[in-house]
Amino acid sequence: MDFIKPGINVDFVNRSRIALICSLVVALIGIGSLVIKGGPLYGIDFAGGTLVQVKFNQAPEVGEIRDALGGEGLGSSVIQSLGEDKVSIRLMSEEGQAETVSEDVFAIIQKRFGQDQVSLELVEMVGPQVGADMRRKGMLSILYAMVGILIYITLRFQFRFAMGAIAALVHDITITVGVFSLLDKEFTLSVIAALLTIIGYSLNDTIVVYDRIRENIRRTPKDKLASVVNTSINQTLSRTILTSGTTLLVVACLFVLGGEVIHDFSFALLVGVLVGTYSSIYIASPVLLLGGKGDAVARASVRQG
């Protein structure tokens, strides 16, 4: 489905320098926020805390439990339903406070829902060492994904294309994490999952444009690479807008209607889809033109194809 008329020729390449400057400014603002605040605001998953699991005779809505805890100053708790009758509650706490915290939480829930309606199933402490280990594994998962992408695109296209894709992914991750820092939103395991999803989404968009660039290089081998890149972006513009628009619609519904449990996940996706669509046009493709060897790249691509 093409809702943009054929033959459209928006000059994306000539505007890419301005876009790169804007991206650099936004990324630096995010990095500056991280430096000033001493890093991301880690959630319980990474900073450590107490996990309390309770069983209800008839489990109430998660929102009711959140309201009960919020009324006692525990509004930052992460509450998750574990089926029809069990609920897990995670709270920030210092090492050695697990018993006190769990007693306070259980007392609040008993007071709100009735002593005979709830029982304490499990209390666990997530220590700082466990949190640090999870942070390390989360960062490694993103790094491994980047390395895999670098190898895959190098084999499918060539190394210069892979560098463009990696530059776009680093751009997307940096800006998304920066937005979380600026808004003081917690960095949790669900946010790591969202970042990995963003990597996959952004890469898919970039591959579509790269494929079209390679096809056009074969079709018009004498054209300058800048012209080929611009034409390719315009030819895939309908697909890019439709895919991003429908994805944003779904993610926006998750953000508004999905509830507190997936709020940070859907917010990260909202930012990531927007930034990923932008970067596939203004970051990944223009990087191919850097270095002044565009035509040599074109010829190499034709040979590889």
Side-chain angles (χ1 to χ4, degrees):
M1 176 180 176
D2 289 334
F3 65 93
I4 294 179
K5 60 182 179 182
I8 187 172
N9 188 27
V10 180
D11 197 351
F12 291 105
V13 169
N14 271 345
R15 295 180 180 131
S16 61
R17 193 179 297 274
I18 298 173
L20 285 171
I21 294 172
C22 292
S23 292
L24 184 62
V25 171
V26 174
L28 287 176
I29 291 173
I31 293 171
S33 172
L34 288 168
V35 171
I36 292 171
K37 296 177 180 178
L41 178 60
Y42 290 118
I44 296 169
D45 299 328
F46 297 133
T50 300
L51 170 67
V52 181
Q53 185 174 309
V54 293
K55 181 178 180 181
F56 290 88
N57 291 341
Q58 185 171 2
E61 295 293 329
V62 169
E64 294 181 58
I65 301 173
R66 181 170 291 106
D67 290 342
L69 296 176
E72 301 293 335
L74 299 175
S76 61
S77 309
V78 178
I79 306 168
Q80 187 174 10
S81 174
L82 302 177
E84 294 183 355
D85 57 355
K86 294 182 181 178
V87 173
S88 77
I89 303 165
R90 288 175 292 165
L91 308 95
M92 299 288 285
S93 65
E94 300 294 333
E95 199 164 7
Q97 294 182 338
E99 187 174 346
T100 305
V101 170
S102 63
E103 288 174 355
D104 291 343
V105 169
F106 191 54
I108 293 169
I109 291 178
Q110 280 187 314
K111 179 181 176 184
R112 173 67 175 80
F113 300 103
Q115 290 189 1
D116 56 344
Q117 296 298 312
V118 60
S119 58
L120 186 62
E121 289 267 304
L122 176 72
V123 177
E124 283 186 350
M125 177 71 192
V126 181
Q129 185 59 41
V130 175
D133 188 50
M134 294 182 74
R135 286 202 300 274
R136 184 180 62 81
K137 290 179 178 175
M139 295 302 111
L140 283 177
S141 67
I142 294 176
L143 179 63
Y144 293 155
M146 295 276 194
V147 172
I149 289 166
L150 187 70
I151 295 171
Y152 167 70
I153 297 185
T154 300
L155 294 175
R156 178 166 174 169
F157 297 92
Q158 59 178 246
F159 184 67
R160 185 179 289 260
F161 283 75
M163 292 306 295
I166 293 298
L169 295 180
V170 171
H171 167 273
D172 300 344
I173 298 297
T174 303
I175 289 183
T176 304
V177 173
V179 169
F180 265 69
S181 177
L182 287 168
L183 298 180
D184 287 329
K185 296 184 78 66
E186 285 189 348
F187 206 76
T188 61
L189 280 176
S190 65
V191 176
I192 291 287
L195 292 180
L196 291 171
T197 307
I198 290 168
I199 287 174
Y201 178 85
S202 179
L203 178 66
N204 182 57
D205 243 14
T206 302
I207 292 289
V208 169
V209 179
Y210 278 1
D211 273 335
R212 186 57 61 92
I213 290 174
R214 188 167 59 179
E215 290 174 11
N216 286 334
I217 286 174
R218 295 174 187 159
R219 191 175 299 132
T220 57
K222 294 182 180 179
D223 285 2
K224 294 289 185 184
L225 186 58
S227 173
V228 172
V229 168
N230 205 56
T231 300
S232 303
I233 295 174
N234 277 283
Q235 289 174 346
T236 55
L237 197 56
S238 283
R239 180 265 174 202
T240 301
I241 294 175
L242 274 173
T243 304
S244 301
T246 50
T247 306
L248 274 175
L249 184 62
V250 172
V251 175
C253 290
L254 283 177
F255 179 72
V256 175
L257 305 172
E260 190 70 25
V261 174
I262 60 170
H263 187 269
D264 286 346
F265 176 80
S266 53
F267 179 75
L269 285 183
L270 266 180
V271 176
V273 170
L274 282 171
V275 176
T277 304
Y278 160 86
S279 69
S280 68
I281 295 174
Y282 282 112
I283 303 295
S285 301
V287 166
L288 296 175
L289 307 174
L290 298 178
K293 297 179 180 178
D295 291 338
V297 172
R299 287 192 292 274
S301 296
V302 171
R303 286 198 298 272
Q304 286 193 8

